[in-house]
Amino acid sequence: MEQKKPVFVAIATQKGGVGKTTFTVLLASHYYYRLGYNLLIIDCDRPQYSIVEMRERDSQLVMKNDYYKRKAYNQFKELNRKAYTVIRAKAEEALDKAEECIGNSTEPYDIILFDLPGTVNSVGVLRTISKMNYLFSPISADKMILTSTLSFFDTLNKELVSRGQTDIMGMYLYWNQVDGREKTGLYFVYEKIIKDLGLQIMQTSVPDTKRFRKEMSEDDRKAVFRSTLFPPDRRLLKGSSLEELFLEIQGIIRL
């Protein structure tokens, strides 16, 4: 029987600091540890390879910290599965690495997440993007960030999607770092521009909150939010809109 092909998903943006890597990790950890989907992350955002480095930090902390060691052990007993795999790859190698992992896995993957470089000018990025099934991009009400992201997605629409030269089935934008004090009228104006370009905006928006910077640390052991080894703490999920966002993504990619 032919193995079901996993969904290829990338959270993509051309501007740094909007939450691309953070959302990739939070999405992966929520889907894998809490919902039970089988997945892996291919980190091809060179030269920093932020997710690979986060996994190394997480693993080192678990090894030397009794609290996290017990937490990891109890999670393994409960789920009966190890941590999801994080692979380092150049953009031009990412698809080959994905296929290699699919071929070697004893359990079929539901989803493969790609952390892509922030520019299509990087070698191999455009080809890799063309093989994604879905692209999601965080945007904020910042003119520079919005202009860059819309230009990026509009180019993909014109050069790849409209010509049928891609596996992309959907490209979606979602508001991140939403400041509750800002006038909602500003967002309505931006959303009209987005729709005029033929792009889609998701229903869920994510508020501006410092909790997204909260990684595992020696000083604060009780509530883990951003980690490659544990799901985001339920207490910190409240009010973040992440569960709603992840549920909306599930519906879009048909997990």
Side-chain angles (χ1 to χ4, degrees), residues 2-17:
E2 187 176 350
Q3 185 172 300
K4 179 184 175 183
K5 188 177 185 300
V7 183
F8 284 12
V9 174
I11 296 180
T13 177
Q14 284 201 114
K15 298 297 291 183

Side-chain angles (χ1 to χ4, degrees), residues 133-150:
N133 299 128
Y134 295 93
L135 294 172
F136 296 91
S137 180
I139 53 174
S140 65
D142 177 287
K143 187 174 181 180
M144 185 177 295
I145 289 172
L146 197 58
T147 300
S148 173
T149 304
L150 293 183

Side-chain angles (χ1 to χ4, degrees), residues 11 19-26 45 50-51 54 115 226:
I11 296 180
K20 172 176 65 73
T21 297
T22 292
F23 277 108
T24 302
V25 170
L26 290 169
D45 191 8
S50 301
I51 299 179
M54 187 184 299
D115 190 25
R226 185 174 63 180

Side-chain angles (χ1 to χ4, degrees), residues 238-254:
K238 291 180 179 178
S240 70
S241 296
L242 283 183
E243 285 186 287
E244 295 87 343
L245 180 70
F246 296 161
L247 184 62
E248 190 174 351
I249 291 174
Q250 275 177 266
I252 291 170
I253 68 177
R254 299 185 181 93

Side-chain angles (χ1 to χ4, degrees), residues 25 29 33 50-65 68-69 72 84 86 214-217 224 226-230:
V25 170
S29 296
Y33 300 117
S50 301
I51 299 179
V52 169
E53 290 191 359
M54 187 184 299
R55 168 56 62 83
E56 290 172 357
R57 291 196 301 272
D58 289 348
S59 300
Q60 289 170 7
L61 196 51
V62 163
M63 292 302 295
K64 67 181 182 181
N65 184 288
Y68 288 127
K69 192 178 293 184
Y84 58 78
V86 179
K214 192 176 182 62
E215 290 189 28
M216 294 166 56
S217 72
V224 176
R226 185 174 63 180
S227 168
T228 66
L229 297 180
F230 304 109

Side-chain angles (χ1 to χ4, degrees), residues 76-87:
F76 176 74
K77 280 207 310 181
E78 180 183 349
L79 302 180
N80 193 29
R81 63 194 323 198
K82 297 179 180 179
Y84 58 78
T85 301
V86 179
I87 292 175

